[in-house]
């Protein structure tokens, strides 16, 4: 089984925020793959689809961003999913809005959701797709920025990045992540 995890915050007030691009990618994948309705388990919303012979679980932790590992670790243990069988999709302040960066390992880069995952998984060696959201201009705090909505100008770039991240995840079912990484990082 493979697991695709989108990071975000639960609740309607967070739906269109910068911090929720991971949830947006999972929602798009679920729609594209005609996934069954998500169910609540292990402090997360999950659904499982079959892509060819591969079983893939889509996950949206409900623990809020900063505690994402509290959902993911128990799910991985229960379903016996290895670190190399997951992809985590999340927002990144250090990338320009709409830019994708795929990696097989790395640090948290100041992202509290990734800090939680790394702490709970006991490793930083797992696949990830970072979606650029840019940094705030002026005196706005980072917290207010990531919990804010995208500007009208940013929305098409972010939608395209969410679509490309979903496409990368669909391709991962048949090809090694390194191949996908090389293809999507070069685009």
């Amino acid at each position: 089984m493979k697991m695709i995890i989108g990071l975000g915050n639960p609740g309607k007030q967070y739906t269109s925020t910068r911090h929720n691009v991971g949830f947006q990618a999972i929602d798009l994948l679920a729609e594209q793959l005609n996934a069954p309705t998500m169910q609540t388990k292990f402090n997360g919303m999950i659904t499982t689809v079959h892509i060819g012979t591969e079983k893939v679980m889509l996950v949206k932790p409900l623990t809020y961003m900063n505690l994402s590992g509290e959902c993911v670790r128990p799910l991985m243990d229960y379903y016996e999913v290895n670190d190399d069988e997951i992809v985590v999709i999340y927002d990144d302040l250090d990338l320009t809005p709409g830019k994708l960066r795929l990696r097989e390992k790395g640090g948290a880069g100041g992202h509290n959701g990734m800090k939680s995952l790394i702490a709970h998984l006991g490793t930083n060696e797992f696949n990830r797709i970072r979606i650029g959201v840019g940094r705030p201009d002026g005196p706005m705090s980072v917290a207010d920025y990531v919990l804010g909505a995208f500007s009208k100008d940013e929305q098409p770039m972010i939608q395209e990045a969410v679509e490309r991240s979903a496409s990368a995840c669909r391709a991962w079912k048949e090809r090694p992540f390194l191949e996908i990484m090389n293809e999507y990082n070069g685009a």
Side-chain angles (χ1 to χ4, degrees):
M1 175 185 285
K2 290 184 176 180
M3 189 177 287
I4 303 170
I5 303 141
L7 300 188
N9 287 312
K12 285 188 181 269
Q13 70 271 33
Y14 300 112
T15 301
S16 299
T17 65
R18 290 175 179 88
H19 234 6
N20 272 39
V21 293
F23 275 18
Q24 292 173 23
I26 293 298
D27 290 342
L28 179 60
L29 269 168
E31 180 185 320
Q32 291 173 341
L33 299 171
N34 295 313
T37 302
M38 291 193 134
Q39 305 293 318
T40 304
K41 287 186 182 180
F42 294 97
N43 284 324
M45 296 295 293
I46 67 168
T47 187
T48 305
V49 296
H50 290 82
I51 305 172
T53 59
E54 189 76 52
K55 194 173 186 182
V56 179
M57 180 178 290
L58 305 178
V59 180
K60 293 177 8 180
L62 296 177
T63 52
Y64 289 91
M65 181 66 79
N66 296 355
L67 303 174
S68 297
E70 292 179 10
C71 164
V72 175
R73 174 82 271 165
L75 271 171
M76 289 177 66
D77 290 344
Y78 184 82
Y79 289 100
E80 299 178 357
V81 176
N82 297 323
D83 298 332
D84 64 342
E85 296 171 316
I86 69 169
V87 170
V88 180
I89 307 169
Y90 63 102
D91 61 295
D92 192 308
L93 290 164
D94 293 325
L95 295 174
T96 58
K99 185 163 179 67
L100 286 189
R101 178 77 68 221
L102 285 69
R103 293 282 182 255
E104 292 183 300
K105 62 182 177 180
H111 193 286
N112 290 329
M114 290 302 286
K115 285 179 188 175
S116 176
L117 280 172
I118 290 168
H120 282 84
L121 299 183
T123 184
N124 67 352
E125 296 191 17
F126 53 87
N127 304 317
R128 70 239 2 238
I129 299 175
R130 297 166 22 210
I131 299 176
V133 297
R135 285 203 170 267
D137 291 329
M140 181 184 281
S141 75
V142 168
D144 287 341
Y145 181 75
V146 297
L147 295 177
F150 291 103
S151 72
K152 233 178 192 174
D153 292 341
E154 292 171 325
Q155 288 173 2
M157 293 181 286
I158 297 304
Q159 183 58 38
E160 182 181 338
V162 166
E163 289 171 7
R164 288 180 54 236
S165 67
S167 173
C169 289
R170 289 192 318 274
W172 177 53
K173 70 181 171 51
E174 295 179 4
R175 299 184 354 228
F177 193 78
L178 181 61
E179 258 183 54
I180 306 304
M181 189 174 85
N182 291 334
E183 177 183 337
Y184 281 80
N185 283 343

